[in-house]
Amino acid sequence: MSENYASQDSTVLQVDQLTLEFGGLRALDHLSFQVQSQEILALIGPNGAGKTTCFQCITGFLPPKLGEIHLHPPHHQTQRLNGLKPYQIAQLGVARTFQSIRLYEKQSVLENVMMGRQIRTKTSTLGVLLRDRRTSVAEQQIREDSFQMLQRMELEQYAQATADSLPYAAQRRLEIARALATDPFLLLLDEPAAGMNRQETEELDELLVELQKEFQLTILLIEHDMRLVMKISDRIIVLDHGRKIAEGPPQEIRQHPEVIRAYLGEQAIS
Ligand SMILES: Nc1ncnc2c1ncn2[C@@H]1O[C@H](COP(=O)(O)OP(=O)(O)O)[C@@H](O)[C@H]1O
Ligand SMILES: [Mg+2]
């Protein structure tokens, strides 16, 4: 849990009665929860529970049928996210990664991060076209900031390589680097450990804890790797059929009868 006492118990994201259907299938069913400043909150549940759909709604990729989503950015007034476009939500300080890697595969690693960085700067499209002096200074800044982010994520050796040439775990780190380059206060990670081996997953959990502290992030994490979830989460929300069936700290969730029945089953999570 964060050591920043003043920020504890302050809600940064509030989801109320979120409901979304695909055809006749209710993927989210009156889902409500809150995310507190600088916590790591995990969203778990069986395949098809609605976890990714929840991220799609929060980040503006899918409009909910019902429900309200409010963001409370630090030092800014509350924003209603319903109806905003993904880039507008990103500009409010919400960044995400995707369940299946989405990089600009043929662009360089550095360029991938620069594209994340650009969203937070004032360079206008016209300025880029005219290439005036102010724009080139701004571009230089973006390049430097982006390279620094690569260094932080231990990816600088790959800066000029194309994104698709990276080893798998490094591509996953690059996605996080690109998300962080937008300077978010809220980071949504959709199965960041998917496809990683045990050692890579352990490196990732250490990295996430470090990044949370370093950038004072609030992290909303979808993850199937229960070892990782139980180790780094402050709280866990369990979804099943689009509904919240449990919510609490890891030690409570691992003993929750309905969670064990719906999800954990025989899985060893100690
Ligand atoms: N674009 C879509 N079109 C139709 N059905 C979808 C779509 N996306 C997700 N679903 C369905 O909605 C339910 C929730 O999916 P999803 O949010 O991806 O679950 P999770 O991420 O928890 O595995 C599933 O039954 C899935 O098949
Ligand atoms: Mg998913």
Side-chain angles (χ1 to χ4, degrees), residues 27-53:
L28 292 174
D29 192 357
H30 297 88
L31 175 66
S32 300
F33 65 92
Q34 298 183 349
V35 185
Q36 306 300 328
S37 180
Q38 296 186 41
E39 71 173 337
I40 299 182
L41 174 60
L43 211 51
I44 68 170
N47 271 328
K51 305 178 298 294
T52 296
T53 303

Side-chain angles (χ1 to χ4, degrees), residues 22 25 27 45-54 99 190-191 222 224:
F22 295 108
L25 179 104
N47 271 328
K51 305 178 298 294
T52 296
T53 303
C54 178
Q99 187 169 344
D190 196 344
E191 298 197 29
I222 297 175
H224 274 299

Side-chain angles (χ1 to χ4, degrees), residues 140-179:
Q140 189 53 35
Q141 190 64 50
I142 290 171
R143 187 172 291 275
E144 282 170 21
D145 294 346
S146 301
F147 191 76
Q148 258 181 26
M149 183 57 72
L150 287 184
Q151 287 176 312
R152 171 60 190 92
M153 300 294 278
E154 297 176 11
L155 289 168
E156 74 273 17
Q157 56 172 317
Y158 302 116
Q160 302 310 326
T162 58
D164 65 355
S165 70
L166 262 56
Y168 179 80
Q171 291 192 26
R172 285 256 171 223
R173 263 202 334 279
L174 175 55
E175 277 216 302
I176 297 173
R178 186 180 58 184

